[in-house]
Each structure stands twice: as C-alpha cells, then as structure tokens.
Amino acid sequence: MKISSAEVVVTSPGRNFVTLRITTDEGLTGLGDGTLNGRELAVVAYLRDHVAPLLIGRDPANIEDTWQSLYRGSYWRRGPVTMAAIAAVDVALWDIKAKCAGMPLYQLLGGASRTGALAYGHASGRDLPELFDSIRAHLAEGFRAIRVQTAIPGLGTVYGVATSGGGDTRYDYEPAQRHPQPVEETWDTRAYLRHLPGVFEAVRAEFGPELPLLHDGHHRMTPIQAAKLGKELEPYDLFWLEDATPAEDQNALRLIRQHTTTPLAIGEVFNSVHDYTTLLSERLIDYVRSAVTHAGGVTAMKKLLDLAGVYGIRSGIHGPTDISPVGMAAALHLDLAIHNFGIQEFMPHSARTLEVFRTSYRFTDGLLHPSDTPGLGVELDDDAAAAHPYVPAYLPVNRLTDGTVHDW
Ligand code: GCO
Ligand code: MG
C-alpha cells in the first residue's frame, strides 16, 4: 500500500482546527490533528509545502520510519510547528494502521488497561456563588474531577474563567479569540496569591474532602511564589497544581518541589521528551501534560509516557477545545492503553465542532472511552468543514498593572 494524497483541511466551527487527511492507493484514509492555537497557518504551510510532498508514495505502514525521517531527516528538530506537523502525520498513519487491522487504535498500543479514562472538567466563576454553580453543573454532567479557576478581585477578565453560562458559549472564552489583534488582560500575581487559597478553602468546605480538585497557574508565578502557593494549598489536597512557572525553565520546578507536597503538572507547551529529562529523572513533577497534537503524535507520546512511568510519573494529557476531536481521540486511545494513566482533561467541543468532526468517543459517569470503532473513531465531514472558513484568532496577552508584558 502507498500514500496517494495528503491534504490539509482548515476549518473554523467556532475556533480554528488544522486536520491532515492521508489517503492510500487502496482508498483508506487517516486523520491527524495539527492545530496550534493562534498560529494555525504556520503548521498548514509546514505540512502543505514541506511535508505532504515527502509522503506521497511512502508505505503508510512504516510509522516509525516516517516519524524519524520527518524529525531527523529535516535537520531542524523540535519546536511547536514542526512537532504539530509531525503529530498530524503520525496520528493519521496510526488511524490508517488501526483501520487496516480492523481494530480500535488502543488495541495496537497494547490493549485496554482500564475501563475508561477519568476526565476532569473546567469549572470557573467570577465569584464563589458562580463558581459553586459551575462545579455543581459539572458534577451533574457526570464529572468526577474538577479544575477550579476564579476571577481575582480588582482584576478584569481572567484567562480560564468562562464569561457566559451554558451551551456552546460556555468554553468560548478560553482558547484564542477571533479578533484581528490579541485581547490584552491585566494581571497581578500578588492579588492572585492572596485570593486563591480562600477559594479552595471555600470549595472544600462546600463540596467535601473527596472530590479531586485541580488548578492551572498558566505559567504566571516565579518559582518562590509557586512554592508559597503550593504550600498554602496543601490543606485543600489538590490533585495537581498545573503550570506554576514558565515551563521552559525545568530547574524552577526543583525549587518548588523543595517547598511543597502539592502535586505538580507541567508540559502543555512542551513538544519533545527533551523538555522533560530533568523533570522526570529528578521526579520534579507528578503529571506529564503534553498534548498528542503538540508533542509529535502517538509514537512520541507513547515513548514519553513510558519513560515517565519508569519514574512513577503519570499522564495528564492536554485536552482543551483547541485540540481537535481527532487529537482528543488519539489521547483517549493512549489513556486507555498505558499503565501510568493519571487523568484526562476534557473540555467538550461545541455542537458546531461535532458536526464537522463525527466522533465516537463516549463520556459516561466521569470516564471517557475512545470506542471500539476501528482506527481513531473520528471522521471529517468535508461539507460541514467547508462551511466554516478560517478566521484569524489570538490568545490574549497578559500585562502587569504597569503595562509590562507578563508570562502566561
Ligand atoms: C489547559 C490550557 C489551555 C491552554 C490553551 C492554549 O490547561 O487546558 O491551559 O486552556 O491555555 O490550550 O491554546
Ligand atoms: Mg493549562
């Protein structure tokens, strides 16, 4: 069998998605997600202009060889654009291989290690009553683990806090917004640090000790600020504190670790196992947050997660709505198969997105299951995709109260 075409489909059913469809001379197709939020067209060009021509005529069965050719053979390794493009190819080839085998992908990864993947949902509120309502709504939908984000008194909109209630608009705030220029938000870390422990105290008092609670710091603290926050949150027994400090500084995690037993998760902006070597070998984190879509696909993620397992570190695969349903399905097959699964982030896609991407994965009683459909279990509806052309969108920019651009 040979690859006969590799087409890139860009669609924007509420937000932008980049999908690679590989077709073989026997008529089999595979899908891969290459969505890089706010920088989508860079991946499109990388795939269309530089990668697709290399794929034509290759045997789709040789996934490892294709991965290594695109990684080692290009001379320019790593980086979010390159690794999202490689991920798109890799996932599409796994989709084809599993369809060929007539099996769901997780079977090719070793079979199911569990009945489903524990998912966490995103609760948020501008104040405690709104936050409590959001937590209750998630519990009613079946979530058994909840990420908690709130607004901060004195600041305006805060990233990760939904600005509107139910339905499709619920998560629209969080990923890139469809404006020609990035929205600017004001940030004050000291105000955040003063506010957050009281929020968790109130949530524990309301919802009791058992519910797994998570929090995302969006890379905004210095190491010593993160150490202080981790320590102050210890009484509230977090499942994890995510992205406490800017992720590229692996050594920062060492300092945080010396001060707190709050579990740490990091890695949604990482794209290679080489971003993790210190973190894993020194056991400086508890959860690996990379997305299949941004870290080189199933092939690379399986190796990364197996290495993490050697150190007793578990998975927490990135699953916001800017990962397409194709990337989400790939994550779920890994979640089901690997031994060191921790938790899966799950922001349900909008109804509009699910008209473009026909999924078969299921969310039941707090657990996600990729389904037993051969392959990934996702199909792309071309007509629905074409009805939603690309719209430029940016993640917001974060500035301190004096105007300084801040980390996030
Ligand atoms: C998360 C993330 C996302 C990212 C977004 C950026 O934990 O889900 O922080 O909300 O910010 O995916 O593109
Ligand atoms: Mg995050």
Side-chain angles (χ1 to χ4, degrees):
M1 192 161 33
K2 289 195 179 340
I3 295 174
S4 53
S5 78
E7 327 144 60
V8 184
V9 179
V10 181
T11 181
S12 193
R15 65 180 41 99
N16 296 313
F17 296 109
V18 175
T19 309
L20 179 71
R21 177 167 38 218
I22 295 181
T23 307
T24 74
D25 55 359
E26 294 182 15
L28 275 172
T29 58
L31 297 178
D33 178 25
T35 308
L36 189 61
N37 200 6
R39 295 292 185 272
E40 298 86 358
L41 300 186
V43 184
V44 172
Y46 194 104
L47 280 169
R48 266 188 195 148
D49 299 342
H50 304 294
V51 172
L54 305 177
L55 298 176
I56 308 304
R58 289 185 77 91
D59 184 343
N62 297 339
I63 300 178
E64 180 73 26
D65 183 64
T66 300
W67 197 99
Q68 298 298 346
S69 313
L70 294 177
Y71 182 78
R72 292 175 200 276
S74 69
Y75 187 70
W76 306 109
R77 299 182 184 188
R78 306 168 65 185
V81 175
T82 300
M83 298 310 281
I86 294 179
V89 174
D90 183 78
V91 170
L93 294 182
W94 276 110
D95 192 15
I96 290 174
K97 190 181 276 295
K99 282 179 181 168
C100 251
M103 291 181 187
L105 174 57
Y106 73 82
Q107 290 294 0
L108 304 190
L109 302 175
S113 289
R114 55 195 52 78
T115 53
L118 177 69
Y120 74 89
H122 285 207
S124 67
R126 283 165 293 191
D127 51 24
L128 284 179
E130 213 177 87
L131 173 63
F132 288 1
D133 284 350
S134 172
I135 296 175
R136 280 190 201 101
H138 281 81
L139 294 175
E141 284 168 28
F143 280 100
R144 295 190 205 160
I146 308 278
R147 187 183 93 159
V148 169
Q149 307 293 127
T150 59
I152 297 155
L155 298 185
T157 53
V158 171
Y159 186 74
V161 179
T163 47
S164 53
D168 275 7
T169 58
R170 197 170 101 197
Y171 295 110
D172 273 359
Y173 175 70
E174 181 147 3
Q177 292 179 326
R178 291 144 69 98
H179 297 303
Q181 290 290 321
V183 169
E184 298 207 337
E185 293 176 351
T186 307
W187 180 251
D188 177 346
T189 311
R190 290 189 66 234
Y192 164 73
L193 293 175
R194 283 195 303 274
H195 184 61
L196 198 68
V199 170
F200 274 91
E201 184 183 14
V203 171
R204 276 288 175 228
E206 182 74 14
F207 294 94
E210 280 172 32
L211 180 65
L213 297 177
L214 302 85
H215 178 71
D216 193 341
H218 292 300
H219 309 113
R220 290 176 183 192
M221 287 166 273
T222 63
I224 203 69
Q225 287 171 333
K228 177 172 150 55
L229 180 65
K231 217 161 146 179
E232 285 177 5
L233 292 177
E234 280 171 21
Y236 315 117
D237 188 26
L238 263 62
F239 186 95
W240 78 34
L241 172 61
E242 174 188 346
D243 289 347
T245 48
E248 64 270 35
D249 181 3
Q250 293 189 45
N251 293 318
L253 276 293
R254 196 179 294 121
L255 189 144
I256 306 171
R257 199 63 147 178
Q258 282 160 359
H259 290 278
T260 179
T261 56
T262 292
L264 301 172
I266 205 159
E268 68 180 47
V269 298
F270 289 171
N271 46 70
S272 159
V273 65
H274 296 287
D275 296 320
Y276 281 101
T277 46
T278 304
L279 299 178
L280 299 183
S281 63
E282 295 189 29
R283 300 171 205 265
L284 301 181
I285 56 170
D286 301 278
Y287 297 93
V288 160
R289 284 285 288 143
S290 288
V292 178
T293 302
H294 301 141
V298 168
T299 298
M301 280 294 278
K302 178 75 168 66
K303 293 177 189 182
L304 166 61
L305 294 171
D306 285 346
L307 178 63
V310 171
Y311 298 100
I313 295 166
R314 294 191 285 156
S315 70
I317 299 182
H318 194 211
T321 41
D322 46 286
I323 297 295
S324 89
V326 174
M328 187 69 195
L332 298 183
H333 286 280
L334 274 165
D335 290 339
L336 205 67
I338 58 170
H339 174 67
N340 56 326
F341 169 75
I343 201 163
Q344 173 63 53
E345 181 179 21
F346 181 43
M347 290 175 80
H349 286 103
S350 69
R352 243 185 314 168
T353 298
L354 296 175
E355 279 163 21
V356 174
F357 297 93
R358 308 288 168 141
T359 57
S360 54
Y361 51 78
R362 298 185 304 271
F363 178 61
T364 325
D365 295 332
L367 304 184
L368 282 158
H369 194 286
S371 95
D372 284 323
T373 307
L376 281 175
V378 183
E379 294 302 326
L380 182 72
D381 182 322
D382 283 301
D383 294 335
H388 302 289
Y390 171 76
V391 179
Y394 287 99
L395 283 155
V397 167
N398 207 20
R399 289 187 186 272
L400 301 180
T401 47
D402 70 355
T404 309
V405 173
H406 190 56
D407 298 302
W408 85 279

